[in-house]
Amino acid sequence: MSKDLVNHVINPVTALAYVSFKSGLLLLAGEGPYFKVFDHETTRLVAVTRAFTYQAVHGITAASAFTHSDGATVLELLIWGHRYLRLAQLRDDAAAGKPEIVVHLKEAIQANDWILDVRFRPHDSQIPQKADAVLVTAQNAASLLCTAPRSHYLTLKPVTAGPKSMLYSARIGWTEDERILVASGTVFGEVIFWSFSRTALDAGATSPASAQLHHKFTGHEGSVFGVRISPKLSDVTFGFGKRLLASCSDDRTVRIWDVSDVDINEPISDGSLQHSEPSIKPISDDTDQISVNRCVATVMGHASRIWDVHFLVSGERLNIISFGEDGTAQAWQLVHRTPVKGLPSKGLDGLDLVHWEAYAYHTGKNLWASAHFRNGDATHVISTGGADGRIVQYNIRQEADVSIGQLSTSRWTIDDVAAQLEKNKTFASASSACLQSHRLFNSLRGAWKITRTIKSGLPSYPSGNFKGKATFERRQPSAEGYHDEYLYSENGTFSADPGLTCQASRQYVYRYQASSDAISAWFVKPDDRSTVDYQFHELRIEDSRETDDRQGSQDQLLVRASAYHLCVDDHYTPDYNFQLIDGILDHWSLTYHVKGPQKNYIAEACYTRSFDHGDQEEEHETTSALPQSKNHDNSLPGDREFKTDDFKSYVFLNNKSFLVTTAHGRVLLGSLSTPAGNQVEVHEFNQRPSVTWELIDQFEALKSSSITSKLVDSEKLFLSGNIGTVFAYDISKKQISPIFDLGRKAAYLYAQSIHDRKPARESDFQAHLVLATSLGRPIAYIYKCRNSTGDDLRQLFLLALPASFVVTSASYIEAFDMWILGSRNGALAFYDGSLISSDNMTEPCRILLDIHGEDAITVIRCLREPELDQRAYILTTGRDGYYALHTLSTARNTSEQLLVQFGTMHRSMPPFGPNIEGASFFENSDHKSSNLILWGFRSTHFVVWNASTHQETMVVDCGGAHRNWSYCPDEDGNIDGGTFVWTKASVCNVYSQTSASHRVFQPGGHGREIKAMAVSPAVQDSDGSPEKYVATGAEDTTIRIWLFHHEYEPEAGFKCLGTWTKHTTGIQQLQWSDDGRLLFSAAGCEEFFAWRVQPAPCIGIGAVCKAIFHYTSHPTKSHFSLLHTTTYGTNCLNQILHLHTALDGFPHIYLCTASSDGHVAFLPGDSIFNPPSNPNVSNKALLTSFHRHCIHQNTVKCISTMTSSSAQNELVLVSGGDDGALAITRLTFHSGGTSPTCSTLLYPKAHATAINAIATLQTARGSPDVHTFATLGNDQRVKTWCLETFSNEPGTKGLRLKKRRDRPTSVGDVAALVSLSTGRNGDEEMGVLVAGIGMEYLPDERAEDGQDY
């Protein structure tokens, strides 16, 4: 069978196994009757075959590979399901130039009972070549499976049996001394552990094996569905040489049993084999005494039954992983309880199973298959397969007593950050002038005690001493191009040497320019002593050197700066010396050397923060336009304030660094790196990131609370805090500067880059828009910064917010010059950018309510700018748990008013929530491939979801949404990578991954039984190509939309385009409209929805639930109009059809219903769909006139119609019933009559059981008309029929029915069947899709293969 053809099957995965082969590690899977081989490294499907006709594969086991005489590498496998077992070989004919893996199936054999486990002998066993494997059946009997050397034929020889019982599970193990261990789980909740000797496996052995009972464990309160024998433990933690047994049950518990003493009990049988069956002695009543105190640990974990368990052994650590009906895998750690004395336990005493991690990577119910292998010392690779047909693989790392997420998480307390800053001397040892100039400038802010000594060389200029106070007061920069500015003022007393004293003061202005990274001093005009006059000097930082403080343990750094100024003929040479202790500027000095004809003196000034007692003044915060840096309070390492600080807000600069603000107004920079030597592969375990911290600055305005916003693809980031000042952070220069003030605490901040134009020339350059709102003000402020060389043009605009409109999201659509704001109550407001000015507030041009119900809109993003269709595509997400794709277009009326056209084309809820907090979109340049990434919270977990591939990529247990956090997707094109940072219990946590939390080998489908399926008419997809969509609805309450491509097309198989969740009960019926634009879905609880479906750029296909039918007498919100009601009888109606016919040249419509009593009824429908013009004619009277006709003995399960080419008043009904019969009913409608003439041809026993579905394949018009259709029965058979209708023969005489094909389907619990033509450009093929527990495509001309089982 071709590999591509099996891509057209989605079945439950019922078996998994790992094997090592020449080409590497392979994952073997059983999916229904199919056997698949996946390459573990690439997840690629490399081989596939059909192991059985339609019996599901239940297990796979492998022997050791060997080299065949022809040079090929061969691996022998045993594949089993139910009672059937088949030998298979994997061959890698690389020597023959055929490196692909080929599967060869041998003849199947049949055991006498259900096979529960099969194991090949260990590769180092001394058992002869003919004794290949041992199997255990549901009667607790063991058999030997033999093959002649290199033979293709199997022989089965009964060997021995354990205690007679009915088993649900069994596992086989081999000891070093060649005893075969058997653990059996019974229907009655018992676990039986027994063994037998290898002597019975020797060639020529005639006596039965010596079976030995070791334990019969009781304790489970339900059937035992899974057992597992551990390897012999090699660590002293649990006891050297100990062996354990794990069991899981219907009672939702996992129990661990001690089975170390496997050689101490007496044989339970030493008799001989009779009639090919071993003779077994009955178990005595006192056997239970063997099991006393053998249960060493037990735990209840899953929400429902547990199917299987595995041991994960790594050194001194022992873990258990269980797989349940609830679709999850749960990891447990076996640990010792600490006794009262505080000494740890050893051995198997005092053990507990502690929950470690949960894995929920499947949909629906039931993890049927699992496999694992150990990769290295501490990593286990787990693969699971479920009822959803999905195969996933994830890693479990046994390292320390923490969960997997914790192993990849870096944790930092504020003390840890302080300690690293102290160790690295981040501030003091900064070598770049950029860091020192800006930080030194910020350090000057505030009040200083000043003492100055003047030594003059001229008698005209007196010497003396000055004492006083100097203040650096930050204010709004008074000139363009400067980012910071101080007004320097000093006041004090000057004492001249002759003894004269006087009051003295002076003022300067100090400025900081970011573009040149320079500090400069300026004179002020003498009239107002604050306005800048001209430049005094510019500081040049020359060197910095560390010194040792021999009096203590403090670290010191000296920074020197010099300057020069020429005043007419006098030369001024200022010399600055800054001394930093533990990174804090505590004191500094300034010396002026002045020489010239008019002046000749040296002025030495010392500035300190400390004031003498009695001379101390409260440092007063002068009111200024913008807040100041608080560097003199900057609590670097060693300062007691750092210990009382706390992490507040986070924002990522890129995927390698992020900013953190603290409760004391500090701004910290965290830089991520992967530990050296730990190069992470895509499928390997994610490494814990290393974080390097830097202190950027500290501001009073950022204390207590702060919010941040990052510009995409820009070097700018914006922050705001508790007093409303908005700061800009330059990423490359690591500088923070205030840019404008809101006047009160900021409520929302958003930044976006746009293309703007310089006033001087018409060349594009990037500009920045910042939108901010403040608490209690119905105004949004827009700040515009146009950065060019030497310029920084700033403009401020105002937007008027609607009443009760609290902004939670925003976006600027540059192509339309439009602002869109989202609110806390789910509304959108649109603003015309051409009307925005700095003089007046701009009102919204349109407001839309209930875009996301009454919940906050968290994201507004333009996914694709307008192209030929002049429409932009806008994504919104909300805390209602939905994301939506909208179309946006604009026009202007005759008054030049902006008209906004906004429509929703898709609305869906991912399987997490209810909070969707962010989104990212990745698309290649040709729009052929895209990925929509959503993230938010599910209970206590942070979840990242790929909406394009419908799978989780990251799950982190962070404690929930109510905390400070930030997330950044990987910016290097890896859609599975990302970094998440959050605060929990005052600890900063950083989790980073380069690969998804799991890998998907095949995506699968529904997690429950499919009950409905429908194929749409051909519609154009987003690329303009005609496509037919397949809609499926299942008991998992979801609707899935599929594209199906045949094997010769580029993307063969099923491709899921979308999953919709709105129904609350299982889907029962689906139906497309004739134009393919509407899909109707019906479910339990009288749910009936209408969906508008259309191709959607960026996401593939869009769907919006446009109408919901409410079954009430006075519907208020229903989009359906009730036309008429009638009563039928006491039987249930199962089917309804519209019958279109023509009488006397006029069209007529009838309603045909089928019921549980085997009857069909025909009701005239003209009065409903074409109401009579005469008001005296009662619609009800016309509708209640109907005709009934019996076609089946009981329930009519399915019905379909076929038309006649020669007689417009004739139709043919094809129906299937619970009785397994196929009925062909010929209908002839008459003028003036209300009931047609019915003639039924019954084909009894068409199927062995009920016929569930009928699908019309094709109709050949002529004489006679030939109709081809297929039927689907509970017997898992698909039968194709040909029906010939002769118009010249009346009644059933004109009907000829012939069965053309009978073939099995691998789908169980079949419920739906549709016809589907595949292929394009005239190369089309007709086939059928079967749905139930899975899906399968069967081509119309497919030949049968193999024997049915």
Side-chain angles (χ1 to χ4, degrees):
M1 179 172 294
S2 73
K3 176 177 65 179
D4 292 326
L5 186 58
V6 181
N7 281 339
H8 304 163
V9 178
I10 299 177
N11 278 326
V13 177
T14 50
L16 289 172
Y18 277 108
V19 296
S20 295
F21 199 49
K22 179 180 179 181
S23 56
L25 191 66
L26 301 177
L27 177 62
L28 312 180
E31 183 184 356
Y34 297 101
F35 170 70
K36 293 184 175 183
V37 182
F38 294 90
D39 183 272
H40 177 261
E41 185 73 18
T42 63
T43 72
R44 186 175 62 92
L45 179 65
V46 295
V48 65
T49 190
R50 189 163 188 157
F52 305 110
T53 304
Y54 61 109
Q55 168 59 49
V57 175
H58 290 154
I60 305 166
T61 189
S64 300
F66 63 90
T67 302
H68 197 270
S69 57
D70 60 4
T73 302
V74 179
L75 179 68
E76 288 192 334
L77 308 168
L78 286 172
I79 305 170
W80 72 91
H82 188 27
R83 296 189 301 163
Y84 307 101
L85 188 141
R86 171 163 268 162
L87 179 69
Q89 288 185 346
L90 295 185
R91 292 177 59 92
D92 188 349
D93 297 328
K98 299 177 180 179
E100 72 273 7
I101 295 176
V102 180
V103 181
H104 295 280
L105 291 178
K106 311 305 178 183
E107 182 180 353
I109 64 171
Q110 183 174 343
N112 59 3
D113 202 352
W114 194 291
I115 301 172
L116 296 180
D117 194 25
V118 182
R119 285 293 176 267
F120 276 103
R121 68 185 185 278
H123 67 278
D124 57 350
S125 174
Q126 300 302 315
I127 299 176
Q129 183 69 38
K130 289 186 179 181
D132 289 326
V134 174
L135 64 83
V136 174
T137 64
Q139 293 295 329
N140 211 13
S143 297
L144 175 64
L145 190 66
C146 300
T147 64
R150 306 297 184 260
S151 172
H152 296 173
Y153 300 98
L154 298 176
T155 59
L156 198 60
K157 171 187 175 183
V159 176
T160 188
K164 285 291 186 181
S165 186
M166 297 173 61
L167 305 186
Y168 266 152
S169 58
R171 291 291 174 184
I172 299 172
W174 295 71
T175 65
E176 295 176 355
D177 60 351
E178 298 297 347
R179 281 192 73 82
I180 292 89
L181 307 179
V182 180
S184 308
T186 74
V187 175
F188 311 107
E190 300 167 337
V191 178
I192 302 172
F193 187 58
W194 59 285
S195 67
F196 60 93
S197 171
R198 57 173 287 274
T199 56
L201 307 183
D202 291 337
T206 57
S207 61
S210 177
Q212 189 175 24
L213 174 66
H214 299 285
H215 297 288
K216 179 183 176 185
F217 298 118
T218 60
H220 282 294
E221 297 178 1
S223 301
V224 178
F225 293 123
V227 290
R228 188 76 58 169
I229 305 171
S230 78
K232 187 177 291 186
L233 304 181
S234 59
D235 187 82
V236 297
T237 303
F238 300 100
F240 185 82
K242 295 289 187 180
R243 190 187 300 272
L244 301 177
L245 187 151
S247 60
C248 57
S249 168
D250 194 17
D251 61 6
R252 301 188 294 133
T253 65
V254 174
R255 293 177 179 264
I256 308 299
W257 314 87
D258 179 11
V259 293
S260 303
D261 51 348
V262 294
D263 297 316
I264 66 172
N265 296 311
E266 296 298 326
I268 63 173
S269 173
D270 57 357
S272 59
L273 290 175
Q274 297 178 2
H275 306 292
S276 300
E277 294 290 343
S279 176
I280 303 300
K281 182 185 298 183
I283 300 295
S284 60
D285 293 338
D286 61 352
T287 309
D288 289 339
Q289 296 177 3
I290 304 174
S291 309
V292 176
N293 297 327
R294 287 291 178 173
C295 184
V296 298
T298 183
V299 70
M300 177 179 287
H302 290 262
S304 54
R305 292 175 289 187
I306 306 176
W307 298 128
D308 201 2
V309 290
H310 282 272
F311 282 100
L312 309 180
V313 182
S314 296
E316 63 180 15
R317 304 195 179 278
L318 180 59
N319 288 67
I320 311 294
I321 185 166
S322 56
F323 310 92
E325 185 184 24
D326 57 5
T328 69
Q330 307 284 342
W332 313 88
Q333 189 170 17
L334 192 62
V335 298
H336 285 98
R337 293 188 296 269
T338 302
V340 178
K341 295 182 179 180
L343 298 175
S345 299
K346 293 291 184 180
L348 298 179
D349 296 327
L351 291 176
D352 278 331
L353 279 172
V354 179
H355 190 262
W356 194 40
E357 194 83 9
Y359 308 91
Y361 300 135
H362 293 264
T363 60
K365 298 173 63 176
N366 295 315
L367 292 190
W368 291 126
S370 58
H372 99 278
F373 75 94
R374 183 171 167 179
N375 184 17
D377 293 335
T379 301
H380 292 263
V381 179
I382 308 294
S383 289
T384 56
D388 56 358
R390 185 178 179 89
I391 301 177
V392 299
Q393 175 258 306
Y394 44 92
N395 295 342
I396 295 180
R397 189 166 183 175
Q398 294 176 280
E399 180 180 293
D401 299 326
V402 294
S403 67
I404 297 168
Q406 291 174 322
L407 289 170
S408 302
T409 302
S410 180
R411 287 173 170 75
W412 295 85
T413 65
I414 201 72
D415 291 339
D416 295 334
V417 175
Q420 191 195 86
L421 291 175
E422 181 177 10
K423 179 180 179 181
N424 297 338
K425 305 183 187 70
T426 306
F427 179 87
S429 62
S431 59
S432 68
C434 168
L435 289 175
Q436 295 202 19
S437 297
H438 188 229
R439 290 177 178 175
L440 284 174
F441 187 84
N442 289 333
S443 301
L444 295 173
R445 174 183 173 267
W448 298 87
K449 177 184 177 182
I450 177 175
T451 59
R452 181 182 291 117
T453 301
I454 301 175
K455 296 180 181 180
S456 177
L458 297 176
S460 59
Y461 197 96
S463 301
N465 297 296
F466 174 82
K467 285 187 176 182
K469 176 183 177 181
T471 302
F472 287 84
E473 178 186 344
R474 179 171 274 158
R475 66 182 189 181
Q476 181 75 29
S478 56
E480 297 291 345
Y482 292 95
H483 288 72
D484 249 335
E485 187 171 297
Y486 291 129
L487 175 62
Y488 172 83
S489 301
E490 66 178 45
N491 293 279
T493 303
F494 177 71
S495 302
D497 285 345
L500 300 175
T501 62
C502 64
Q503 297 297 312
S505 65
R506 71 172 60 176
Q507 287 78 31
Y508 295 107
V509 169
Y510 279 82
R511 288 172 167 172
Y512 174 72
Q513 187 175 41
S515 59
S516 59
D517 189 41
I519 301 173
S520 56
W522 299 70
F523 291 108
V524 298
K525 294 183 178 180
D527 51 352
D528 61 4
R529 295 183 174 273
S530 63
T531 304
V532 175
D533 194 357
Y534 59 93
Q535 184 172 304
F536 183 10
H537 58 262
E538 182 176 296
L539 281 71
R540 298 187 302 275
I541 296 179
E542 296 181 348
D543 63 3
S544 59
R545 51 193 174 89
E546 295 184 6
T547 62
D548 293 330
D549 181 12
R550 301 183 183 277
Q551 303 300 321
S553 59
Q554 294 176 316
D555 294 325
Q556 298 185 19
L557 181 72
L558 300 180
V559 180
R560 183 175 182 272
S562 62
Y564 175 78
H565 174 71
L566 177 63
C567 181
V568 190
D569 295 328
D570 298 324
H571 299 267
Y572 285 71
T573 307
D575 189 7
Y576 293 80
N577 287 277
F578 301 94
Q579 185 174 16
L580 297 97
I581 301 175
D582 281 345
I584 301 173
L585 182 61
D586 186 67
H587 61 276
W588 57 286
S589 64
L590 172 59
T591 302
Y592 282 97
H593 296 270
V594 184
K595 289 186 179 182
Q598 304 296 324
K599 299 175 182 179
N600 185 5
Y601 66 89
I602 297 176
E604 297 179 329
C606 181
Y607 296 80
T608 60
R609 287 289 189 189
S610 303
F611 290 87
D612 295 334
H613 182 71
D615 194 32
Q616 183 173 353
E617 300 180 17
E618 286 292 329
E619 184 179 336
H620 179 64
E621 294 289 341
T622 6
T623 304
S624 60
L626 294 174
Q628 315 300 311
S629 174
K630 196 183 177 185
N631 203 27
H632 63 281
D633 277 338
N634 205 355
S635 305
L636 281 170
D639 192 341
R640 64 181 182 274
E641 285 192 19
F642 220 122
K643 296 183 179 180
T644 62
D645 210 347
D646 196 9
F647 302 104
K648 285 300 180 181
S649 66
Y650 302 93
V651 62
F652 278 92
L653 312 179
N654 47 55
N655 59 340
K656 298 298 182 183
S657 60
F658 60 93
L659 281 189
V660 188
T661 62
T662 71
H664 289 178
R666 292 181 178 85
V667 181
L668 301 170
L669 173 64
S671 300
L672 305 179
S673 61
T674 302
N678 287 333
Q679 185 65 32
V680 180
E681 299 294 335
V682 173
H683 62 280
E684 293 296 333
F685 190 79
N686 292 302
Q687 302 293 318
R688 176 181 292 153
S690 175
V691 184
T692 303
W693 295 95
E694 295 180 60
L695 178 62
I696 300 300
D697 213 326
Q698 184 177 15
F699 289 90
E700 187 76 19
L702 295 178
K703 287 182 65 175
S704 300
S705 65
S706 59
I707 56 176
T708 55
S709 181
K710 167 69 169 61
L711 280 168
V712 180
D713 301 327
S714 175
E715 291 295 312
K716 288 288 186 181
L717 180 143
F718 298 91
L719 309 89
S720 187
N722 56 350
I723 64 173
T725 304
V726 178
F727 298 83
Y729 175 73
D730 190 299
I731 296 176
S732 60
K733 296 181 179 180
K734 300 182 180 180
Q735 297 173 351
I736 298 179
S737 304
I739 53 176
F740 67 91
D741 193 359
L742 297 174
R744 60 175 67 183
K745 184 177 180 179
Y748 176 75
L749 191 64
Y750 171 79
Q752 182 174 331
S753 298
I754 62 170
H755 289 84
D756 207 346
R757 299 188 181 277
K758 295 183 180 180
R761 61 178 186 266
E762 294 296 320
S763 61
D764 286 341
F765 82 107
Q766 198 173 53
H768 307 313
L769 293 176
V770 181
L771 183 142
T773 64
S774 58
L775 291 178
R777 287 183 178 173
I779 302 172
Y781 303 86
I782 299 178
Y783 166 84
K784 185 176 182 180
C785 173
R786 301 172 60 186
N787 289 320
S788 59
T789 304
D791 295 325
D792 187 13
L793 306 179
R794 303 174 181 181
Q795 298 173 337
L796 193 65
F797 309 106
L798 303 178
L799 301 181
L801 300 178
S804 303
F805 194 98
V806 179
V807 179
T808 56
S809 55
S811 182
Y812 176 72
I813 312 302
E814 190 173 356
F816 296 142
D817 191 13
M818 174 191 296
W819 277 96
I820 308 177
L821 306 185
S823 77
R824 183 181 294 173
N825 60 3
L828 288 178
F830 300 81
Y831 293 84
D832 186 352
S834 64
L835 302 179
I836 295 177
S837 68
S838 56
D839 300 327
N840 300 305
M841 286 197 297
T842 303
E843 298 289 337
C845 58
R846 188 176 182 185
I847 300 173
L848 296 177
L849 303 177
D850 298 328
I851 298 298
H852 282 272
E854 296 182 354
D855 293 289
I857 299 176
T858 55
V859 171
I860 304 173
R861 178 165 181 172
C862 182
L863 299 187
R864 190 177 293 178
E865 294 286 347
E867 295 180 346
L868 296 177
D869 58 359
Q870 296 299 307
R871 294 194 300 178
Y873 295 91
I874 308 298
L875 172 75
T876 61
T877 67
R879 293 202 175 108
D880 59 347
Y882 284 88
Y883 71 96
L885 182 67
H886 316 271
T887 59
L888 174 66
S889 58
T890 62
R892 294 191 181 272
N893 59 16
T894 55
S895 302
E896 289 300 314
Q897 293 178 329
L898 185 66
L899 304 178
V900 177
Q901 298 173 349
F902 190 82
T904 300
M905 65 188 314
H906 180 68
R907 178 178 168 84
S908 183
M909 176 185 289
F912 71 88
N915 295 347
I916 303 179
E917 300 291 345
S920 185
F921 184 68
F922 302 92
E923 187 175 34
N924 58 8
S925 57
D926 59 0
H927 303 328
K928 296 294 184 182
S929 176
S930 62
N931 282 277
L932 175 61
I933 310 297
L934 307 172
W935 56 86
F937 292 89
R938 178 182 60 215
S939 183
T940 62
H941 291 80
F942 175 78
V943 180
V944 181
W945 174 262
N946 188 324
S948 300
T949 60
H950 313 289
Q951 68 182 48
E952 286 180 359
T953 59
M954 178 188 290
V955 181
V956 180
D957 188 355
C958 66
H962 301 291
R963 63 197 63 253
N964 296 316
W965 63 275
S966 186
Y967 173 72
C968 180
D970 197 321
E971 298 177 352
D972 300 327
N974 178 16
I975 60 174
D976 294 331
T979 305
F980 177 54
V981 57
W982 75 98
T983 301
K984 184 177 182 180
S986 298
V987 175
C988 172
N989 301 264
V990 184
Y991 174 88
S992 184
Q993 70 177 36
T994 55
S995 61
S997 56
H998 61 286
R999 294 196 301 161
V1000 178
F1001 283 73
Q1002 66 180 31
H1006 288 281
R1008 295 288 303 276
E1009 306 91 324
I1010 299 174
K1011 293 297 185 181
M1013 181 165 54
V1015 179
S1016 74
V1019 295
Q1020 287 190 342
D1021 62 9
S1022 56
D1023 297 328
S1025 302
E1027 294 285 6
K1028 289 185 178 181
Y1029 298 127
V1030 179
T1032 56
E1035 288 290 345
D1036 60 6
T1037 74
T1038 64
I1039 298 173
R1040 288 178 178 255
I1041 302 298
W1042 307 82
L1043 271 185
F1044 177 77
H1045 292 150
H1046 197 33
E1047 57 186 329
Y1048 46 76
E1049 300 186 19
E1051 296 181 359
F1054 293 98
K1055 179 182 179 181
C1056 184
L1057 300 181
T1059 303
W1060 310 335
T1061 55
K1062 192 173 183 67
H1063 286 281
T1064 59
T1065 56
I1067 313 297
Q1068 301 299 318
Q1069 189 67 37
L1070 294 171
Q1071 182 66 53
W1072 290 92
S1073 63
D1074 291 339
D1075 59 2
R1077 299 183 61 186
L1078 290 176
L1079 175 67
F1080 298 91
S1081 60
C1085 296
E1086 298 177 344
E1087 292 179 340
F1088 184 35
F1089 299 161
W1091 306 79
R1092 185 184 66 194
V1093 183
Q1094 57 187 317
C1098 309
I1099 63 172
I1101 189 169
V1104 178
C1105 186
K1106 298 298 293 182
I1108 301 175
F1109 177 74
H1110 297 274
Y1111 189 75
T1112 60
S1113 57
H1114 301 286
T1116 56
K1117 297 182 179 179
S1118 175
H1119 295 273
F1120 289 88
S1121 298
L1122 182 62
L1123 298 179
H1124 203 88
T1125 60
T1126 188
T1127 58
Y1128 176 78
T1130 59
N1131 297 293
C1132 298
L1133 297 182
N1134 303 104
Q1135 307 288 329
I1136 187 167
L1137 290 175
H1138 290 183
L1139 304 181
H1140 296 271
T1141 184
L1143 298 173
D1144 302 326
F1146 295 97
H1148 293 270
I1149 187 169
Y1150 284 78
L1151 294 182
C1152 174
T1153 61
S1155 59
S1156 57
D1157 62 353
H1159 284 70
V1160 289
F1162 305 95
L1163 297 84
D1166 291 338
S1167 60
I1168 301 175
F1169 303 103
N1170 301 299
S1173 57
N1174 185 355
N1176 297 321
V1177 178
S1178 171
N1179 288 2
K1180 184 174 182 180
L1182 292 175
L1183 189 61
T1184 53
S1185 176
F1186 55 83
H1187 171 72
R1188 301 180 74 238
H1189 177 69
C1190 182
I1191 57 176
H1192 289 278
Q1193 295 179 7
N1194 43 31
T1195 303
V1196 180
K1197 300 277 289 185
C1198 53
I1199 192 167
S1200 182
T1201 62
M1202 299 172 186
T1203 61
S1204 172
S1205 62
S1206 58
Q1208 293 185 352
N1209 65 331
E1210 284 193 0
L1211 292 174
V1212 176
L1213 289 184
V1214 180
S1215 59
D1218 240 351
D1219 53 4
L1222 182 64
I1224 312 297
T1225 303
R1226 189 171 187 175
L1227 305 179
T1228 304
F1229 295 88
H1230 308 283
S1231 300
T1234 59
S1235 59
T1237 301
C1238 303
S1239 302
T1240 299
L1241 173 66
L1242 191 65
Y1243 193 100
K1245 299 181 180 181
H1247 283 263
T1249 54
I1251 299 176
N1252 290 334
I1254 298 172
T1256 301
L1257 298 177
Q1258 58 186 0
T1259 297
R1261 301 299 184 183
S1263 181
D1265 290 340
V1266 180
H1267 306 277
T1268 306
F1269 62 94
T1271 57
L1272 175 66
N1274 276 341
D1275 54 1
Q1276 289 185 246
R1277 310 294 298 187
V1278 178
K1279 300 185 179 184
T1280 307
W1281 309 81
C1282 285
L1283 174 64
E1284 297 178 342
T1285 59
F1286 296 84
S1287 59
N1288 57 350
E1289 297 184 27
T1292 58
K1293 294 182 179 180
L1295 301 177
R1296 308 284 193 276
L1297 182 64
K1298 178 183 179 182
K1299 183 169 65 174
R1300 198 181 75 181
R1301 187 175 300 279
D1302 182 358
R1303 50 193 165 163
T1305 175
S1306 63
V1307 177
D1309 197 8
V1310 291
L1313 180 73
V1314 296
S1315 61
L1316 179 67
S1317 60
T1318 61
R1320 296 178 180 175
N1321 301 324
D1323 189 12
E1324 294 188 356
E1325 178 185 79
M1326 180 64 69
V1328 292
L1329 278 177
V1330 183
I1333 303 179
M1335 300 170 63
E1336 182 177 19
Y1337 173 75
L1338 300 176
D1340 186 36
E1341 296 301 327
R1342 175 180 160 189
E1344 296 187 48
D1345 51 349
Q1347 182 181 353
D1348 296 351
Y1349 299 118

